[in-house]
């Protein structure tokens, strides 16, 4: 298992979702990806994308301007 | 055991693609979805930017549709490749800057590529939610074969909602799909789709009025054409596409335009562009952040400061302090009388 980061700041949905998807496609099952975003739309879109495609959002943190979503890669 | 044939569906997030997939699922066909992001799609953006939309539920309709259907969804960034479709459409534009027929051909051809790449996993045909006569440009009886032919999909392109009005395709001829259980919808009447949605238990589906993207929008198209005219070239980048969705656009001189935020949400969004653009903001009163797009001469700074002051809370003041910041330079401030409503000329509005 390895941990990775993705910077999706200033991108508007669905770009953060696309970048997350493309990154996850390169990772192995069980890997962890932290995605940093600024569009609040990711709070619904990344979890929806994860549910559909068999991945898991294990946490999300919001501070004033940034949102970090952590995804565990599924099969 | 007979081979399980799988389909990939073009998912826009609208009702038709939702129904098309479910019709095939009812026949036991496994489907995955594919959604193409051209940069102009109606999804998300303005919701993310504007204040008053904050309360509205934000959702990406393609993801929502996939979740309703229980299918995987692949979202593909086609921003770069789409430029050629938009700039050089062989079949021309629809009512606005929407090159719908070329767009459909392009998307189906991308789906053909996807099927080739995923053939080993059992994918061998493509479905769309197209309905004959539904849309004036791309969904006419004559255009259906054009899409199939020019995309290279030929007989592996199945439209479950209107298949009975079209010649049988390979999935039907080979018996992978039962043609009898497909539909014969046609025309602009949405009632049959709504009845089928009810039968399948779909509620709360998205029904965009014009089409699936901003290019069908008159105001958006006008701004796009203005941008190209202002630059003397039809190049565009992702930031341009985004900025056309934000703010009030005013072009007081041919060489530059102003993008004036309409609320705090837009001001905040435009803040992200401060390093790339000249920005204007009132200091003495609350007012919108404004970007200057294009080439502005410093002799026009007073003019634009007066315009921006007009859109802030100091609009009725005798004097407003306005700051003009050029990236990597010392900001300049102006004490300026805001323009009156009449002085902001009608023809400046893009
Ligand atoms: S509305 Fe936009 S996305 Fe939909 S077919 Fe037309 S050009 Fe393509």
């Amino acid at each position: 298992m390895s941990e990775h980061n993705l910077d999706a700041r200033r991108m508007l949905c669905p770009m953060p979702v696309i970048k997350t998807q493309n990154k996850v496609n390169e990772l192995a099952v069980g890997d962890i990806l932290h995605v940093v975003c600024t569009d609040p739309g990711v709070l619904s879109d990344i979890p929806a994308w994860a549910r559909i495609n068999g991945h898991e959002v294990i946490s999300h943190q919001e501070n004033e301007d940034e949102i970090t979503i952590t995804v565990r890669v599924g099969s | 055991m007979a081979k399980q044939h799988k389909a990939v569906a073009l998912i826009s997030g609208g009702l038709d693609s939702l129904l098309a997939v479910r019709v095939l699922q009812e026949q036991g066909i496994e489907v995955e979805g594919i959604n193409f992001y051209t940069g102009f799609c109606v999804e998300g953006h303005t919701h993310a930017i504007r204040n008053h939309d904050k309360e509205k539920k934000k959702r990406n309709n393609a993801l929502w549709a996939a979740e309703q259907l229980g299918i995987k969804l692949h979202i593909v960034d086609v921003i770069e490749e789409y430029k050629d479709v938009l700039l050089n459409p062989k079949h021309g534009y629809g009512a606005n800057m929407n090159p719908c027929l070329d767009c459909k051909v392009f998307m189906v051809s991308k789906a053909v590529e996807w099927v080739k790449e995923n053939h080993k996993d059992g994918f061998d045909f493509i479905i769309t939610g197209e309905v004959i006569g539904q849309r004036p440009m791309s969904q006419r009886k004559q255009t259906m074969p054009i899409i199939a032919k020019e995309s290279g999909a030929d007989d592996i392109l199945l439209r479950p909602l209107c298949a009975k009005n079209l010649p049988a395709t390979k999935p039907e001829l080979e018996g992978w799909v039962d043609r009898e259980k497909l539909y014969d919808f046609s025309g602009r009447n949405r009632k049959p789709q709504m009845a089928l949605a009810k039968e399948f238990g779909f509620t709360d589906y998205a029904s965009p009025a014009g089409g699936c993207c901003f290019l069908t929008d008159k105001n958006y198209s006008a701004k796009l054409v203005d941008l190209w005219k202002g630059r003397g070239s039809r190049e565009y980048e992702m930031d341009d596409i985004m900025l056309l969705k934000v703010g009030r656009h005013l072009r007081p001189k041919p060489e530059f335009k102003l993008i004036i935020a309409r609320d705090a949400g837009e001001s905040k969004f435009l803040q992200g562009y401060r390093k790339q653009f000249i920005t204007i903001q009132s200091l003495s009163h609350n007012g919108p952040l404004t970007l200057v797009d294009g080439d502005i001469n410093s002799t026009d700074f007073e003019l634009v400061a007066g315009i921006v002051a007009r859109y802030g809370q100091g609009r009725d003041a005798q004097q407003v302090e306005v700051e003009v910041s050029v990236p990597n330079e010392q900001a300049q401030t102006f004490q300026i009388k805001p323009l009156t409503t009449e002085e902001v000329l009608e023809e400046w509005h893009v």
Side-chain angles (χ1 to χ4, degrees), chain A residues 1 3 7 9 15 20 28 33 41 61-62 67 71-72 74:
Chain A
M1 190 210 92
E3 287 202 30
D7 183 356
R9 286 175 296 185
M15 280 317 287
T20 304
L33 179 65
Q61 277 180 349
E62 283 179 71
I67 300 157
V71 179
R72 183 189 288 126

Side-chain angles (χ1 to χ4, degrees), chain B residues 82 98-100 103-104 107 138 211-213 215-216:
Chain B
Y82 192 74
N98 50 313
C100 289
C103 177
K104 278 275 155 61
M107 289 185 180
S138 58
C212 14
C213 83
L215 296 170
T216 57

Side-chain angles (χ1 to χ4, degrees), chain B residues 33-197:
Chain B
I34 192 163
N35 172 261
F36 296 103
Y37 182 60
T38 63
F40 296 99
C41 307
V42 188
E43 297 309 335
H45 309 138
T46 27
H47 295 259
I49 303 163
R50 291 204 75 178
N51 268 355
H52 67 241
D53 286 334
K54 279 245 164 79
E55 302 310 314
K56 273 199 217 155
K57 209 167 104 210
K58 294 183 199 97
R59 77 171 186 207
N60 175 302
N61 284 312
L63 287 169
W64 179 83
E67 195 163 18
Q68 296 296 304
L69 294 162
I71 62 171
K72 285 194 172 178
L73 182 72
H74 311 276
I75 312 181
V76 187
D77 165 3
V78 292
I79 295 167
E80 281 304 314
E81 285 169 89
Y82 192 74
K83 287 181 178 173
D84 191 48
V85 179
L86 173 58
L87 298 177
N88 308 301
K90 186 173 156 191
H91 301 282
Y93 298 99
N96 295 296
M97 287 305 290
N98 50 313
C100 289
L101 185 47
D102 289 82
C103 177
K104 278 275 155 61
V105 169
F106 169 74
M107 289 185 180
V108 175
S109 73
K110 296 297 291 180
V112 172
E113 277 173 28
W114 193 92
V115 164
K116 282 186 185 145
E117 280 161 26
N118 293 278
H119 186 68
K120 57 183 186 316
D121 295 321
F123 287 93
D124 31 27
F125 65 106
I126 299 162
I127 62 171
T128 71
E130 289 165 291
V131 169
I132 292 174
Q134 179 96 249
R135 300 225 185 267
M137 182 173 194
S138 58
Q139 300 191 17
R140 285 178 292 131
K141 187 138 191 170
Q142 310 89 293
T143 62
M144 297 279 166
I146 296 179
I147 297 170
K149 186 160 181 293
E150 292 189 3
S151 65
D154 295 317
D155 63 350
I156 63 160
L157 174 58
L158 175 68
R159 285 97 164 191
L161 302 185
C162 62
K164 280 185 170 166
N165 296 327
L166 293 166
T169 59
K170 188 170 177 188
E172 297 157 275
L173 294 169
E174 298 279 333
W176 308 338
V177 169
D178 182 354
R179 181 172 168 95
E180 281 315 303
K181 293 191 185 135
L182 302 177
Y183 292 82
D184 60 354
F185 297 165
S186 75
R188 300 188 76 110
N189 180 5
R190 305 279 300 158
K191 289 217 180 92
Q193 280 97 314
M194 277 141 88
L196 192 58

Side-chain angles (χ1 to χ4, degrees), chain A residues 10 12-15 17-19 21-22 39-41 44-49 51-54 64-65 75, chain B residues 37 43 45 48-49 58-60 63 66-67 71-77 79 239 242 268-269 272-273 276:
Chain A
R10 290 202 40 229
L12 294 180
C13 284
M15 280 317 287
V17 184
I18 298 177
K19 294 285 177 195
Q21 161 196 274
N22 295 353
D39 179 353
S44 65
D45 287 1
I46 292 185
W49 164 83
R51 287 193 300 274
I52 292 166
N53 294 293
E64 205 183 311
D65 290 318
S75 46
Chain B
Y37 182 60
E43 297 309 335
H45 309 138
I49 303 163
K58 294 183 199 97
R59 77 171 186 207
N60 175 302
L63 287 169
E67 195 163 18
I71 62 171
K72 285 194 172 178
L73 182 72
H74 311 276
I75 312 181
V76 187
D77 165 3
I79 295 167
D239 276 341
M242 289 298 148
K268 188 162 168 241
F269 179 74
Y273 290 90
Q276 287 156 264

